[in-house]
Amino acid sequence: MRHRSLLILTSVLTTGALTLTACGSRSDDGDKGGSTGGSGGSTTSAASNVTVVIGVDAPLTGQNSATGLGLQFGAQIAVDDANAKNLVPGVTFKIQAKDDKAQPATGQQNATAFTSDNSVIAAIGPLNSSVAVSMQQVFASANMVEISPANTNPALTQGKDWATGKKTRPFPTYFRTATTDANQGGFAGDYAFNAIKKKSAFVVDDKQTYGAGLAAIFKQKFSSLGGKIAGTDHVNTGDNDFSTLVTKIKNSHADMVYYGGQYDESELITKQLKAAGVKIPLMGGDGMYSDTYITTAGAAAEGDLVTSVGVPVTTLKTATDFINTYKAKKYPGDYGTYGGYTYDATTAIIKAVKVVMDANGGKLPAMPDARKALIDAVQKTDLEGVAGHVSFDEFGDTTNKQLTVYQVKSGKWVAVKSGVYTG
C-alpha cells in the first residue's frame, strides 16, 4: 500500500461550500486506490483545488477478478482523463477501489465504508448482481449515487415484480450502464433457436441472483419459441468437479447447454463436458465473456457462445484512446467486457459534479448536500461515451439496449451478431 498526503473533503456544519483540508497520510488495507483522513481547513471556491473521491467496488482478487479489475482500471482511466483535461475546473478526481471478493457481505461492508467517508461523493460498481442487492439500501440511505457498469438483473431497477409488468424503482440512487437480463436472456434464447437452430437445451445456473435470473429468462424465451428444455440443474460457485452434471447432460441428449453464471465454473464445465465426448456448445451471458474463459477451457471452448452488453469496444472509434491507454499502462484484468461501460459511468459522475457546481455558483455543496444534488444531475445525464450513448430512463436503466453474441473461433471471441432485442 502506498502512503501519500492529499487534500480531501470533510463535512462542515456551515452551509455553502465543502471544507478543504490538508491531512497526513495513513494506510488502509481495504483501499486499493489511496487513503483519506484529516481535519480543519478553509472554504473551497472555484479557484481552489479540491479532491473528490469516487469509490469503486468490484472483485479485485479471487473469483471474477479478471473482470473486476477491468472495472477498477476503466474508472481510473476516466479519472485520469478528466484531471488531464481539467474537465471540472478546481476539482481533482481520485479513485478509491475496494475488493468485494464477489461476496455480498463484503460488498455491504464496502458500501458502508464509502458512505461513512465524507471524501467519497459517489460509487462505481459492483460487478455482481448478488452483491448489488446487499449494497443498494446502504447507498440509498446515504443519498449516494451508485452506477454499476455490469449488473444485469432487472429487479435491481424495476423491482421484484418486474416480470409481471408491474415495475417500480426501488432506489433512486442506483443506476447502470449495462442493459438487463430481460433483454440479454431473450436475445440469447432467440439466437439459439432461430440462428443456430438448436432444438433442445440443458439449462444450468449457479444459484446466484445474476445466474439464476438469466437462466430463467433464457429458458422462458427458448421454450416459447418451441425449444425443448432437456433438463435443468444447479451448481455452487467454487465447484470444480462437474462429473455428475456432465453425466446428466450426456444422458439428456440436449444439443446445447445454457449456463447462467460466471466464467469461473463454466470454463470447467465445458472442458469436462468435451472431455467426456459431449461435443455440444455451451452458451452463457456476459459473466462468461472473458479471455480467461478461453485460456482455462483451452480447445474445449471452441464453438461456445456468450451474449454481452453493447457492441465490441474494439470496433468503436470512440474507444480507441481508452483501449490504447489501458494497454499502454499494462493494467491487469479484462477491459473488453465492462471497461468501456465503467469509463462512461465514471465520466457520468464527473460531469454531474460539474453540473452541481455550476448550479451552486461554482462551488461544491457541503456534505451531505453534494451527494444528494448529484442524484438529479446523474439522472439527467446525456453524453456520448466511449462505449455508446449514455443516458438513463425513469428506472435508472441505460437507454443503450444494444447486445452482441460472441462465439469462440480459433481461440478468440468473435462477434457473430449485434442488435437491439425488442422481445
Side-chain angles (χ1 to χ4, degrees):
M1 174 57 69
R2 292 175 294 176
H3 297 259
R4 66 179 71 178
S5 296
L6 69 151
L7 298 175
I8 70 163
L9 304 173
T10 62
S11 179
V12 291
L13 298 177
T14 58
T15 59
L18 285 163
T19 296
L20 185 65
T21 66
C23 69
S25 61
R26 64 180 177 85
S27 64
D28 179 353
D29 290 340
D31 176 3
K32 307 287 184 184
S35 54
T36 60
S39 62
S42 58
T43 304
T44 63
S45 68
S48 62
N49 193 57
V50 59
T51 296
V52 173
V53 179
I54 299 173
V56 175
D57 175 88
L60 307 179
T61 59
Q63 191 178 40
N64 309 156
S65 60
T67 312
L69 288 166
L71 269 66
Q72 178 182 356
F73 293 107
Q76 186 65 58
I77 294 171
V79 160
D80 290 345
D81 284 351
N83 291 337
K85 297 173 183 176
N86 196 27
L87 208 59
V88 184
V91 174
T92 297
F93 291 93
K94 177 180 177 292
I95 290 297
Q96 184 184 110
K98 292 186 180 293
D99 183 6
D100 64 29
K101 300 178 177 64
Q103 297 298 319
T106 306
Q108 187 176 60
Q109 292 169 6
N110 291 347
T112 300
F114 284 141
T115 57
S116 300
D117 185 342
N118 281 319
S119 70
V120 182
I121 197 168
I124 298 293
L127 171 69
N128 307 86
S129 291
S130 57
V131 177
V133 171
S134 73
M135 301 174 80
Q136 285 181 304
Q137 183 63 65
V138 178
F139 285 121
S141 296
N143 286 318
M144 182 185 285
V145 164
E146 167 195 13
I147 308 181
S148 172
N151 296 160
T152 53
N153 187 276
L156 294 171
T157 48
Q158 300 171 22
K160 61 183 179 64
D161 297 322
W162 69 270
T164 68
K166 185 181 178 182
K167 299 179 181 180
T168 304
R169 186 175 185 177
F171 302 102
T173 50
Y174 178 87
F175 302 82
R176 55 179 154 198
T177 51
T179 193
T180 75
D181 291 335
N183 296 318
Q184 186 175 193
F187 195 63
D190 181 78
Y191 185 85
F193 187 83
N194 290 316
I196 57 176
K197 309 299 181 184
K198 299 300 180 183
K199 303 302 178 186
S200 176
F202 195 103
V203 180
V204 185
D205 69 70
D206 63 1
K207 298 188 282 191
Q208 301 299 304
T209 302
Y210 161 76
L214 184 60
I217 295 166
F218 170 87
K219 185 168 66 173
Q220 188 279 326
K221 183 62 178 181
F222 189 74
S223 298
S224 72
L225 294 171
K228 176 186 175 183
I229 302 302
T232 61
D233 206 350
H234 313 279
V235 299
N236 297 307
T237 57
D239 284 354
N240 52 39
D241 181 357
F242 299 101
S243 54
T244 301
L245 173 63
V246 166
T247 299
K248 290 180 181 179
I249 295 171
K250 187 173 185 178
N251 292 339
S252 76
H253 302 292
D255 56 14
M256 71 169 291
V257 175
Y258 187 83
Y259 181 75
Q262 307 289 338
Y263 59 81
D264 304 82
E265 290 74 39
S266 58
E267 63 197 14
L268 300 178
I269 293 173
T270 199
K271 192 171 186 177
Q272 293 174 30
L273 195 65
K274 308 297 172 50
V278 187
K279 308 297 185 180
I280 59 176
L282 186 148
M283 186 179 195
D286 51 324
M288 270 176 51
Y289 180 48
S290 172
D291 288 341
T292 303
Y293 177 87
I294 300 173
T295 302
T296 303
E302 196 70 16
D304 287 352
L305 301 130
V306 297
T307 53
S308 191
V309 297
V311 296
V313 290
T314 52
T315 67
L316 299 172
K317 291 183 179 180
T318 51
T320 300
D321 288 345
F322 165 74
I323 294 171
N324 288 343
T325 299
Y326 203 107
K327 291 179 176 179
K329 295 282 188 179
K330 296 182 179 180
Y331 285 140
D334 172 26
Y335 66 82
T337 311
Y338 301 117
Y341 281 90
T342 306
Y343 182 101
D344 290 346
T346 309
T347 302
I349 289 172
I350 290 167
K351 292 199 170 185
V353 168
K354 186 176 188 305
V355 169
V356 170
M357 290 177 65
D358 287 347
N360 192 51
K363 301 176 182 178
L364 198 60
M367 292 291 187
D369 295 340
R371 288 175 179 173
K372 189 172 183 180
L374 202 67
I375 299 171
D376 184 61
V378 169
Q379 181 67 61
K380 294 175 181 177
T381 295
D382 186 7
L383 63 91
E384 295 301 325
V386 301
H389 187 77
V390 183
S391 60
F392 304 104
D393 65 15
E394 68 271 29
F395 301 104
D397 281 325
T398 179
T399 57
N400 182 355
K401 310 293 185 184
Q402 285 188 305
L403 291 155
T404 298
V405 177
Y406 298 86
Q407 186 171 30
V408 181
K409 295 184 177 183
S410 300
K412 295 182 179 180
W413 289 116
V414 177
V416 293
K417 180 182 179 180
S418 292
V420 176
Y421 179 67
T422 56

PDB file of all heavy atoms in Angstrom, residues 96-121:
ATOM      1  N   GLN A  96     -10.958   5.445  -5.291  1.00  0.00           N
ATOM      2  CA  GLN A  96     -10.697   4.611  -4.123  1.00  0.00           C
ATOM      3  C   GLN A  96     -11.378   3.270  -4.388  1.00  0.00           C
ATOM      4  O   GLN A  96     -12.605   3.177  -4.408  1.00  0.00           O
ATOM      5  CB  GLN A  96     -11.277   5.252  -2.860  1.00  0.00           C
ATOM      6  CG  GLN A  96     -10.966   4.480  -1.586  1.00  0.00           C
ATOM      7  CD  GLN A  96     -11.643   5.081  -0.378  1.00  0.00           C
ATOM      8  OE1 GLN A  96     -12.575   4.486   0.162  1.00  0.00           O
ATOM      9  NE2 GLN A  96     -11.216   6.252   0.055  1.00  0.00           N
ATOM     10  N   ALA A  97     -10.580   2.238  -4.655  1.00  0.00           N
ATOM     11  CA  ALA A  97     -11.117   0.930  -5.017  1.00  0.00           C
ATOM     12  C   ALA A  97     -11.112  -0.030  -3.841  1.00  0.00           C
ATOM     13  O   ALA A  97     -10.142  -0.093  -3.087  1.00  0.00           O
ATOM     14  CB  ALA A  97     -10.304   0.338  -6.168  1.00  0.00           C
ATOM     15  N   LYS A  98     -12.193  -0.776  -3.701  1.00  0.00           N
ATOM     16  CA  LYS A  98     -12.308  -1.770  -2.641  1.00  0.00           C
ATOM     17  C   LYS A  98     -12.705  -3.117  -3.238  1.00  0.00           C
ATOM     18  O   LYS A  98     -13.518  -3.187  -4.158  1.00  0.00           O
ATOM     19  CB  LYS A  98     -13.325  -1.330  -1.584  1.00  0.00           C
ATOM     20  CG  LYS A  98     -12.854  -0.114  -0.771  1.00  0.00           C
ATOM     21  CD  LYS A  98     -13.814   0.214   0.348  1.00  0.00           C
ATOM     22  CE  LYS A  98     -13.327   1.418   1.147  1.00  0.00           C
ATOM     23  NZ  LYS A  98     -12.082   1.141   1.888  1.00  0.00           N
ATOM     24  N   ASP A  99     -12.138  -4.163  -2.688  1.00  0.00           N
ATOM     25  CA  ASP A  99     -12.332  -5.528  -3.154  1.00  0.00           C
ATOM     26  C   ASP A  99     -13.513  -6.175  -2.434  1.00  0.00           C
ATOM     27  O   ASP A  99     -13.482  -6.340  -1.213  1.00  0.00           O
ATOM     28  CB  ASP A  99     -11.041  -6.315  -2.885  1.00  0.00           C
ATOM     29  CG  ASP A  99     -11.082  -7.743  -3.392  1.00  0.00           C
ATOM     30  OD1 ASP A  99     -12.067  -8.121  -4.062  1.00  0.00           O
ATOM     31  OD2 ASP A  99     -10.107  -8.481  -3.131  1.00  0.00           O
ATOM     32  N   ASP A 100     -14.558  -6.546  -3.197  1.00  0.00           N
ATOM     33  CA  ASP A 100     -15.697  -7.216  -2.551  1.00  0.00           C
ATOM     34  C   ASP A 100     -15.591  -8.741  -2.634  1.00  0.00           C
ATOM     35  O   ASP A 100     -16.422  -9.452  -2.094  1.00  0.00           O
ATOM     36  CB  ASP A 100     -17.033  -6.730  -3.114  1.00  0.00           C
ATOM     37  CG  ASP A 100     -17.231  -7.063  -4.587  1.00  0.00           C
ATOM     38  OD1 ASP A 100     -16.686  -8.069  -5.067  1.00  0.00           O
ATOM     39  OD2 ASP A 100     -17.959  -6.305  -5.271  1.00  0.00           O
ATOM     40  N   LYS A 101     -14.582  -9.250  -3.361  1.00  0.00           N
ATOM     41  CA  LYS A 101     -14.334 -10.697  -3.482  1.00  0.00           C
ATOM     42  C   LYS A 101     -15.559 -11.451  -4.006  1.00  0.00           C
ATOM     43  O   LYS A 101     -15.699 -12.663  -3.788  1.00  0.00           O
ATOM     44  CB  LYS A 101     -13.888 -11.281  -2.139  1.00  0.00           C
ATOM     45  CG  LYS A 101     -12.609 -10.659  -1.596  1.00  0.00           C
ATOM     46  CD  LYS A 101     -12.237 -11.250  -0.246  1.00  0.00           C
ATOM     47  CE  LYS A 101     -10.909 -10.692   0.269  1.00  0.00           C
ATOM     48  NZ  LYS A 101     -10.954  -9.240   0.524  1.00  0.00           N
ATOM     49  N   ALA A 102     -16.456 -10.726  -4.682  1.00  0.00           N
ATOM     50  CA  ALA A 102     -17.704 -11.293  -5.219  1.00  0.00           C
ATOM     51  C   ALA A 102     -18.615 -11.813  -4.109  1.00  0.00           C
ATOM     52  O   ALA A 102     -19.474 -12.668  -4.340  1.00  0.00           O
ATOM     53  CB  ALA A 102     -17.420 -12.402  -6.247  1.00  0.00           C
ATOM     54  N   GLN A 103     -18.447 -11.260  -2.898  1.00  0.00           N
ATOM     55  CA  GLN A 103     -19.242 -11.681  -1.747  1.00  0.00           C
ATOM     56  C   GLN A 103     -20.180 -10.556  -1.305  1.00  0.00           C
ATOM     57  O   GLN A 103     -19.725  -9.446  -1.016  1.00  0.00           O
ATOM     58  CB  GLN A 103     -18.314 -12.048  -0.588  1.00  0.00           C
ATOM     59  CG  GLN A 103     -17.398 -13.227  -0.864  1.00  0.00           C
ATOM     60  CD  GLN A 103     -18.159 -14.510  -1.121  1.00  0.00           C
ATOM     61  OE1 GLN A 103     -19.153 -14.806  -0.448  1.00  0.00           O
ATOM     62  NE2 GLN A 103     -17.707 -15.283  -2.098  1.00  0.00           N
ATOM     63  N   PRO A 104     -21.492 -10.822  -1.236  1.00  0.00           N
ATOM     64  CA  PRO A 104     -22.456  -9.786  -0.840  1.00  0.00           C
ATOM     65  C   PRO A 104     -22.132  -9.121   0.502  1.00  0.00           C
ATOM     66  O   PRO A 104     -22.239  -7.897   0.619  1.00  0.00           O
ATOM     67  CB  PRO A 104     -23.784 -10.552  -0.775  1.00  0.00           C
ATOM     68  CG  PRO A 104     -23.626 -11.645  -1.783  1.00  0.00           C
ATOM     69  CD  PRO A 104     -22.187 -12.065  -1.666  1.00  0.00           C
ATOM     70  N   ALA A 105     -21.741  -9.912   1.494  1.00  0.00           N
ATOM     71  CA  ALA A 105     -21.462  -9.332   2.816  1.00  0.00           C
ATOM     72  C   ALA A 105     -20.287  -8.359   2.756  1.00  0.00           C
ATOM     73  O   ALA A 105     -20.311  -7.288   3.381  1.00  0.00           O
ATOM     74  CB  ALA A 105     -21.174 -10.438   3.822  1.00  0.00           C
ATOM     75  N   THR A 106     -19.269  -8.708   1.976  1.00  0.00           N
ATOM     76  CA  THR A 106     -18.117  -7.821   1.832  1.00  0.00           C
ATOM     77  C   THR A 106     -18.506  -6.561   1.059  1.00  0.00           C
ATOM     78  O   THR A 106     -18.061  -5.457   1.390  1.00  0.00           O
ATOM     79  CB  THR A 106     -16.965  -8.543   1.106  1.00  0.00           C
ATOM     80  OG1 THR A 106     -16.678  -9.758   1.796  1.00  0.00           O
ATOM     81  CG2 THR A 106     -15.713  -7.675   1.072  1.00  0.00           C
ATOM     82  N   GLY A 107     -19.330  -6.728   0.053  1.00  0.00           N
ATOM     83  CA  GLY A 107     -19.808  -5.567  -0.697  1.00  0.00           C
ATOM     84  C   GLY A 107     -20.576  -4.607   0.185  1.00  0.00           C
ATOM     85  O   GLY A 107     -20.413  -3.386   0.085  1.00  0.00           O
ATOM     86  N   GLN A 108     -21.394  -5.148   1.072  1.00  0.00           N
ATOM     87  CA  GLN A 108     -22.145  -4.298   2.006  1.00  0.00           C
ATOM     88  C   GLN A 108     -21.203  -3.542   2.935  1.00  0.00           C
ATOM     89  O   GLN A 108     -21.402  -2.354   3.211  1.00  0.00           O
ATOM     90  CB  GLN A 108     -23.121  -5.149   2.798  1.00  0.00           C
ATOM     91  CG  GLN A 108     -24.070  -4.338   3.674  1.00  0.00           C
ATOM     92  CD  GLN A 108     -25.087  -5.225   4.366  1.00  0.00           C
ATOM     93  OE1 GLN A 108     -24.727  -6.115   5.138  1.00  0.00           O
ATOM     94  NE2 GLN A 108     -26.360  -4.983   4.092  1.00  0.00           N
ATOM     95  N   GLN A 109     -20.171  -4.210   3.401  1.00  0.00           N
ATOM     96  CA  GLN A 109     -19.176  -3.549   4.245  1.00  0.00           C
ATOM     97  C   GLN A 109     -18.471  -2.427   3.486  1.00  0.00           C
ATOM     98  O   GLN A 109     -18.230  -1.344   4.046  1.00  0.00           O
ATOM     99  CB  GLN A 109     -18.145  -4.574   4.733  1.00  0.00           C
ATOM    100  CG  GLN A 109     -18.691  -5.589   5.709  1.00  0.00           C
ATOM    101  CD  GLN A 109     -17.726  -6.747   5.959  1.00  0.00           C
ATOM    102  OE1 GLN A 109     -16.594  -6.730   5.469  1.00  0.00           O
ATOM    103  NE2 GLN A 109     -18.175  -7.751   6.694  1.00  0.00           N
ATOM    104  N   ASN A 110     -18.161  -2.680   2.219  1.00  0.00           N
ATOM    105  CA  ASN A 110     -17.512  -1.656   1.408  1.00  0.00           C
ATOM    106  C   ASN A 110     -18.425  -0.455   1.197  1.00  0.00           C
ATOM    107  O   ASN A 110     -17.983   0.701   1.244  1.00  0.00           O
ATOM    108  CB  ASN A 110     -17.095  -2.235   0.060  1.00  0.00           C
ATOM    109  CG  ASN A 110     -15.965  -3.242   0.179  1.00  0.00           C
ATOM    110  OD1 ASN A 110     -15.315  -3.343   1.217  1.00  0.00           O
ATOM    111  ND2 ASN A 110     -15.726  -3.985  -0.878  1.00  0.00           N
ATOM    112  N   ALA A 111     -19.710  -0.729   0.946  1.00  0.00           N
ATOM    113  CA  ALA A 111     -20.681   0.354   0.764  1.00  0.00           C
ATOM    114  C   ALA A 111     -20.763   1.208   2.021  1.00  0.00           C
ATOM    115  O   ALA A 111     -20.825   2.445   1.955  1.00  0.00           O
ATOM    116  CB  ALA A 111     -22.050  -0.209   0.402  1.00  0.00           C
ATOM    117  N   THR A 112     -20.763   0.568   3.177  1.00  0.00           N
ATOM    118  CA  THR A 112     -20.803   1.294   4.449  1.00  0.00           C
ATOM    119  C   THR A 112     -19.558   2.152   4.623  1.00  0.00           C
ATOM    120  O   THR A 112     -19.630   3.299   5.082  1.00  0.00           O
ATOM    121  CB  THR A 112     -20.931   0.302   5.617  1.00  0.00           C
ATOM    122  OG1 THR A 112     -22.141  -0.451   5.471  1.00  0.00           O
ATOM    123  CG2 THR A 112     -20.951   1.035   6.949  1.00  0.00           C
ATOM    124  N   ALA A 113     -18.406   1.598   4.226  1.00  0.00           N
ATOM    125  CA  ALA A 113     -17.159   2.358   4.330  1.00  0.00           C
ATOM    126  C   ALA A 113     -17.174   3.572   3.405  1.00  0.00           C
ATOM    127  O   ALA A 113     -16.743   4.669   3.795  1.00  0.00           O
ATOM    128  CB  ALA A 113     -15.971   1.457   3.988  1.00  0.00           C
ATOM    129  N   PHE A 114     -17.672   3.400   2.200  1.00  0.00           N
ATOM    130  CA  PHE A 114     -17.749   4.523   1.262  1.00  0.00           C
ATOM    131  C   PHE A 114     -18.669   5.620   1.792  1.00  0.00           C
ATOM    132  O   PHE A 114     -18.326   6.801   1.781  1.00  0.00           O
ATOM    133  CB  PHE A 114     -18.268   4.053  -0.102  1.00  0.00           C
ATOM    134  CG  PHE A 114     -17.265   3.311  -0.939  1.00  0.00           C
ATOM    135  CD1 PHE A 114     -17.661   2.214  -1.688  1.00  0.00           C
ATOM    136  CD2 PHE A 114     -15.937   3.705  -1.008  1.00  0.00           C
ATOM    137  CE1 PHE A 114     -16.751   1.525  -2.490  1.00  0.00           C
ATOM    138  CE2 PHE A 114     -15.017   3.025  -1.796  1.00  0.00           C
ATOM    139  CZ  PHE A 114     -15.429   1.928  -2.541  1.00  0.00           C
ATOM    140  N   THR A 115     -19.853   5.239   2.247  1.00  0.00           N
ATOM    141  CA  THR A 115     -20.826   6.237   2.689  1.00  0.00           C
ATOM    142  C   THR A 115     -20.395   6.926   3.977  1.00  0.00           C
ATOM    143  O   THR A 115     -20.819   8.052   4.262  1.00  0.00           O
ATOM    144  CB  THR A 115     -22.220   5.611   2.876  1.00  0.00           C
ATOM    145  OG1 THR A 115     -22.138   4.529   3.810  1.00  0.00           O
ATOM    146  CG2 THR A 115     -22.771   5.087   1.555  1.00  0.00           C
ATOM    147  N   SER A 116     -19.558   6.259   4.759  1.00  0.00           N
ATOM    148  CA  SER A 116     -19.071   6.843   6.015  1.00  0.00           C
ATOM    149  C   SER A 116     -17.905   7.794   5.799  1.00  0.00           C
ATOM    150  O   SER A 116     -17.522   8.529   6.716  1.00  0.00           O
ATOM    151  CB  SER A 116     -18.639   5.726   6.976  1.00  0.00           C
ATOM    152  OG  SER A 116     -19.717   4.870   7.276  1.00  0.00           O
ATOM    153  N   ASP A 117     -17.346   7.787   4.610  1.00  0.00           N
ATOM    154  CA  ASP A 117     -16.188   8.612   4.278  1.00  0.00           C
ATOM    155  C   ASP A 117     -16.657   9.861   3.538  1.00  0.00           C
ATOM    156  O   ASP A 117     -17.114   9.791   2.400  1.00  0.00           O
ATOM    157  CB  ASP A 117     -15.228   7.802   3.403  1.00  0.00           C
ATOM    158  CG  ASP A 117     -13.933   8.532   3.097  1.00  0.00           C
ATOM    159  OD1 ASP A 117     -13.882   9.763   3.262  1.00  0.00           O
ATOM    160  OD2 ASP A 117     -12.974   7.868   2.658  1.00  0.00           O
ATOM    161  N   ASN A 118     -16.542  11.019   4.162  1.00  0.00           N
ATOM    162  CA  ASN A 118     -17.053  12.251   3.578  1.00  0.00           C
ATOM    163  C   ASN A 118     -16.276  12.732   2.353  1.00  0.00           C
ATOM    164  O   ASN A 118     -16.663  13.715   1.724  1.00  0.00           O
ATOM    165  CB  ASN A 118     -17.087  13.359   4.634  1.00  0.00           C
ATOM    166  CG  ASN A 118     -18.275  13.234   5.550  1.00  0.00           C
ATOM    167  OD1 ASN A 118     -19.376  12.925   5.115  1.00  0.00           O
ATOM    168  ND2 ASN A 118     -18.049  13.422   6.838  1.00  0.00           N
ATOM    169  N   SER A 119     -15.180  12.066   2.033  1.00  0.00           N
ATOM    170  CA  SER A 119     -14.468  12.438   0.809  1.00  0.00           C
ATOM    171  C   SER A 119     -15.049  11.746  -0.420  1.00  0.00           C
ATOM    172  O   SER A 119     -14.772  12.134  -1.548  1.00  0.00           O
ATOM    173  CB  SER A 119     -12.977  12.092   0.931  1.00  0.00           C
ATOM    174  OG  SER A 119     -12.779  10.693   0.907  1.00  0.00           O
ATOM    175  N   VAL A 120     -15.859  10.703  -0.200  1.00  0.00           N
ATOM    176  CA  VAL A 120     -16.413   9.921  -1.305  1.00  0.00           C
ATOM    177  C   VAL A 120     -17.779  10.472  -1.687  1.00  0.00           C
ATOM    178  O   VAL A 120     -18.699  10.500  -0.877  1.00  0.00           O
ATOM    179  CB  VAL A 120     -16.527   8.431  -0.938  1.00  0.00           C
ATOM    180  CG1 VAL A 120     -17.068   7.625  -2.110  1.00  0.00           C
ATOM    181  CG2 VAL A 120     -15.173   7.879  -0.501  1.00  0.00           C
ATOM    182  N   ILE A 121     -17.904  10.896  -2.935  1.00  0.00           N
ATOM    183  CA  ILE A 121     -19.152  11.528  -3.369  1.00  0.00           C
ATOM    184  C   ILE A 121     -20.093  10.566  -4.066  1.00  0.00           C
ATOM    185  O   ILE A 121     -21.309  10.753  -4.087  1.00  0.00           O
ATOM    186  CB  ILE A 121     -18.859  12.743  -4.282  1.00  0.00           C
ATOM    187  CG1 ILE A 121     -20.101  13.638  -4.379  1.00  0.00           C
ATOM    188  CG2 ILE A 121     -18.362  12.300  -5.669  1.00  0.00           C
ATOM    189  CD1 ILE A 121     -19.829  14.991  -5.003  1.00  0.00           C
TER     190      ILE A 121
END
